[in-house]
Structure formats: C-alpha cells, structure tokens
C-alpha cells in the first residue's frame, strides 16, 4: 500500500490538502442542502470526523516528523474551531461544540491509525515471519 502513497510528492500532497481545505470551508459556509445520504442521527458528525481524518492524512503526507504531526493536529483543530466561528456569522448555520469534537475525533483517529500502522510495519521489519519449507 505504501507504494501507492509515494505516487505523489510532498508538494503535491500539500496542493491536494489546500484544495481539500477550500472545498471543506466552502461546504461549511454555504447553506446545507439537506443531503439525504447522511440524514441519520449524528450523520453530520460522521462527515466532520471523516473530513478531518482526510485532512490529517493529507497534511501528514506533506510533513511527517513528530513535531510537525503535533503542530498539524493543533492547526487542524484550530481550523475546525474557525469554521464554527465563521458559521456563526452566516445566519443559516449554527455553532456546535459537537462538530469541533467530531473534528478532533477524526484527527485523533487518523493519528492513532497512522501510529498503529507504523508500529506494525516496524515490528514486521524487526521480526519478519520466516517462511517454512
């Protein structure tokens, strides 16, 4: 799977990240069309978590040191809070602490997944299973 992740350069991941930020910001600040595909209990929270999982992935692929990962997590959480603040000025969107929590969950789920994958890769590298004859 990692060979597919290396098809894009860090710079290309950054461009993709910023394009995704623009799309998410646009969708967050325009009137909701009441999309029927997520009209279930807390469906919007699932969208928030998914969006910030993807943003975390893209940002991580463009900068991957642990210091940058921590900075990226805080930056993305700040972006989620900014979205809520901007929504308060629209008149047709409401501020929700639950949305920020869903953003944080998406960020943390990616970081947990990424850390577990790195750990599994490291364990496999240190102790590969030997093929039996």
């Amino acid at each position: 799977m990692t060979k597919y992740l290396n098809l894009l350069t860090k710079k290309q991941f950054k461009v993709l990240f910023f394009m995704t930020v623009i799309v998410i910001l646009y969708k967050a600040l325009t009137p909701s069309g009441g999309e029927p595909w997520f009209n279930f209990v807390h469906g919007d929270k699932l969208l928030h978590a998914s969006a910030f999982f993807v943003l975390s992935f893209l940002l991580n692929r463009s900068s991957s040191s642990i210091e940058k990962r921590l900075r990226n997590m805080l930056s993305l959480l700040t972006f989620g809070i900014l979205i809520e603040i901007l929504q308060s000025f629209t008149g047709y969107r409401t501020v929700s602490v639950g949305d920020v929590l869903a953003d944080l969950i998406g960020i943390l789920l990616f970081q947990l997944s990424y850390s577990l994958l790195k750990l599994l890769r490291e364990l496999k590298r240190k102790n590969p299973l030997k093929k039996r004859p």
Side-chain angles (χ1 to χ4, degrees), residues 1-9 12-13 61:
M1 179 160 116
T2 56
K3 69 179 181 178
Y4 297 112
L5 295 178
N6 294 325
L7 290 175
L8 298 175
T9 65
Q12 290 169 323
F13 271 109
R61 293 303 301 159

Side-chain angles (χ1 to χ4, degrees), residues 22 33 46 65 88 96 103 118 123:
I22 291 167
L46 180 61
S65 71
S88 72
S96 169
D103 299 342
K118 277 183 70 170
L123 290 173

